[in-house]
Amino acid sequence: MADIRTNRLAPDEYARNFADAHPPLTPAQALVESDRCFFCYDAPCIQACPTGIDIPSFIRKIATGDPKGAAKDILTQNIMGSVCARVCPTEVLCEGECVRTAQEERPVRIGALQRYATDWLFDAGVQLFKAGPASGKKVAVVGGGPAGLSCAHRLAMLGHAVTVFEARSKLGGLNEYGVAAYKVAGEIAQREVDYLLAVGNIRVETEKMLGGHIELAKLRREYDAVFLGMGLAGVNGLGIDAENVDGVYDAIGYIGTLRQAKDLSALPVGRKVVVIGGGMTAIDIACQTKRLGAEEVTIVYRRGPEQMGASHKEQDWAQTNGVLIRHWARPVRIVTESGMVGAVEFEYTRAGKGGKLAGTGERFTMAADMVFKAIGQALVADPTVDGSKQVLEMEDGRIAVDGGRHTSLEGVWAGGDCVAGGQDLTVAAVEDGKQAALSIDAWLRGEAVQPAKSKGASHG
Ligand SMILES: Cc1cc2nc3c(=O)[nH]c(=O)nc-3n(C[C@H](O)[C@H](O)[C@H](O)COP(=O)(O)OP(=O)(O)OC[C@H]3O[C@@H](n4cnc5c(N)ncnc54)[C@H](O)[C@@H]3O)c2cc1C
Ligand code: SF4
């Protein structure tokens, strides 16, 4: 019988397990860490940051006791620099390129320093930005996640009147509903949203869904330009029998509930948890169910560690949390007991001809009270169709855009997870929003024509 229960832990254990995973630097630690930077000319870390933050410049400001100047350097390029400091996989971005690594096998802790500067600014309550002189133009932004909010903020700074349409009741997108709780502990995501909206000239309409309450054609008629930043609201299925029985969950839905829970002890969690997938979502659901008190948590991924979407650091983090990762196996059947999940049957896999995944025919069964599907998300097509007609050019199931984040429709831009060729990271969505805003601004001011999106001209 499936063992799924609430209250697996003592009350103080929940608080401990979901507190900030990485404590902030003290002022003294920030000074010492900033002193490790070589302040490289043509610094490779800047190239590696998708938002192009001038990292040596902000670190120098911390070193000289100017955290406000440091925060300005960061937020001018990346208005969501506070959350990015906590969630960026820095090991494959800025810190991955740090020259210090060659000397000391340890990069400058760029993310931690970025957090130090932005926390200082928010704690001090200093607003650095204000809306620009009114241009008389109106822009609709669909989706209040990192892409949409970054676009809205930059457009407001450039003088345009922005309305954000968000399907949910809160802004923030996956910063609020998806990213692991211990990465963005407390009210960090909403604090950033409040800071961003305080720029002025951004109107917000929550619980307004494109494809439901509003239509693209109407937005195009009523606004001078439209930005689509609605992420990926759909979840991929496993495509096997009984994947919808009780006890099989969509990882992102469960994480969303966890992130909004007032009382974590009230969340039911299994004794034996099996997670299917290999990306950040798989790592996050595995670590969080372990921290909710699950006894055995196993991630099963169909290929090897090198092919996992999660970085080595994230894989190590999962193992530090007591999560077991098994590679080269794929689920073939959910085994049910009294109408609920009881186990998952897997088939061993291998890389066949040309690297194509092949089953070996050998099988094994793993007992499970709870199974999480974490094999990626998909664009919900509704917003991109008008009536029954597909109105936006698509590429690999996502919206096709060019370098300026133009779509194939005049006056419509898109960015973040919903577009093809991106990195599916918060920082990349922020950059998309920023680039789209600059492109929209040039177009609204008559300084650029919107080229028809040419096939294959993906921004990635
Ligand atoms: C579980 C999980 C953990 C992650 N962890 C990390 C991490 O640690 N680090 C990292 O860099 N990245 C992480 N990511 C990826 C990152 O969260 C995304 O790349 C980023 O949030 C994309 O931003 P976005 O604005 O494109 O989309 P989203 O954040 O998804 O925001 C889209 C917004 O649009 C709204 N919306 C959707 N459809 C409509 C509609 N039809 N009408 C109106 N509004 C709509 C949604 O409600 C949402 O608010 C994680 C993702 C997941 C799923
Ligand atoms: S935004 Fe992310 S990638 Fe860029 S410097 Fe900050 S932590 Fe590094």
Side-chain angles (χ1 to χ4, degrees), residues 173-418:
L174 290 170
N175 286 355
E176 177 62 35
Y177 292 96
V179 172
Y182 45 75
K183 285 189 189 172
V184 282
E187 293 297 310
I188 296 301
Q190 285 311 302
R191 185 173 75 160
E192 189 168 74
V193 168
D194 293 345
Y195 186 85
L196 189 150
L197 293 180
V199 70
N201 221 5
I202 303 176
R203 198 163 65 87
V204 175
E205 293 204 23
T206 50
E207 300 182 32
K208 287 283 157 54
M209 188 172 177
L210 183 66
H213 314 93
I214 37 175
E215 285 170 6
L216 186 54
K218 188 162 184 282
L219 290 182
R220 290 182 77 206
R221 277 196 306 274
E222 293 179 1
Y223 290 82
D224 297 296
V226 178
F227 175 78
L228 301 176
M230 60 257 183
L232 300 171
V235 181
N236 291 333
L238 297 171
I240 57 173
D241 282 352
E243 70 169 283
N244 294 321
V245 294
D246 279 354
V248 180
Y249 295 79
D250 137 36
I252 292 171
Y254 189 91
I255 293 173
T257 307
L258 186 155
R259 283 292 310 276
Q260 300 304 309
K262 297 263 177 289
D263 175 10
L264 290 171
S265 68
L267 278 179
V269 70
R271 183 182 289 271
K272 292 183 178 161
V273 172
V274 171
V275 175
I276 298 163
M280 265 186 208
T281 306
I283 301 285
D284 285 359
I285 189 66
C287 295
Q288 290 181 109
T289 48
K290 193 82 179 81
R291 283 166 179 248
L292 283 173
E295 207 170 275
E296 280 174 30
V297 182
T298 310
I299 294 176
V300 185
Y301 179 58
R302 62 194 172 139
R303 290 181 182 268
E306 299 306 325
Q307 289 84 29
M308 282 180 82
S311 68
H312 280 293
K313 193 172 165 192
E314 285 159 344
Q315 295 178 43
D316 290 349
W317 169 250
Q319 280 159 354
T320 310
N321 276 269
V323 171
L324 179 72
I325 305 181
R326 290 189 68 163
H327 298 102
W328 297 108
R330 65 181 174 199
V332 286
R333 190 166 70 94
I334 301 285
V335 182
T336 54
E337 279 173 18
S338 317
M340 290 192 70
V341 67
V344 188
E345 188 176 322
F346 290 92
E347 178 184 28
Y348 286 108
T349 51
R350 60 181 167 77
K353 238 184 172 170
K356 206 166 172 262
L357 193 74
T360 66
E362 286 172 273
R363 295 189 174 194
F364 67 94
T365 301
M366 203 181 278
D369 304 306
M370 258 179 150
V371 175
F372 285 100
K373 299 187 265 189
I375 55 164
Q377 296 162 267
L379 181 67
V380 175
D382 286 9
T384 65
V385 297
D386 207 353
S388 60
K389 195 166 144 254
Q390 176 65 53
V391 291
L392 287 171
E393 189 182 312
M394 306 293 280
E395 211 173 289
D396 302 326
R398 303 200 196 184
I399 301 168
V401 290
D402 66 10
R405 280 58 167 183
H406 305 120
T407 70
S408 55
L409 267 189
E410 195 184 37
V412 181
W413 280 255
D417 287 0
C418 67

Side-chain angles (χ1 to χ4, degrees), residues 48-51 53 55 78 84-85 88 90 93-94 110-111 114 427:
C49 169
T51 52
I53 292 173
I55 296 163
N78 178 342
C84 284
C88 275
T90 51
L93 298 173
C94 52
I110 298 168
Q114 179 168 315
V427 63

Side-chain angles (χ1 to χ4, degrees), residues 51-70:
T51 52
I53 292 173
D54 189 340
I55 296 163
S57 170
F58 95 69
I59 293 182
R60 190 187 291 279
K61 288 181 178 128
I62 292 176
T64 56
D66 178 15
K68 180 178 165 189

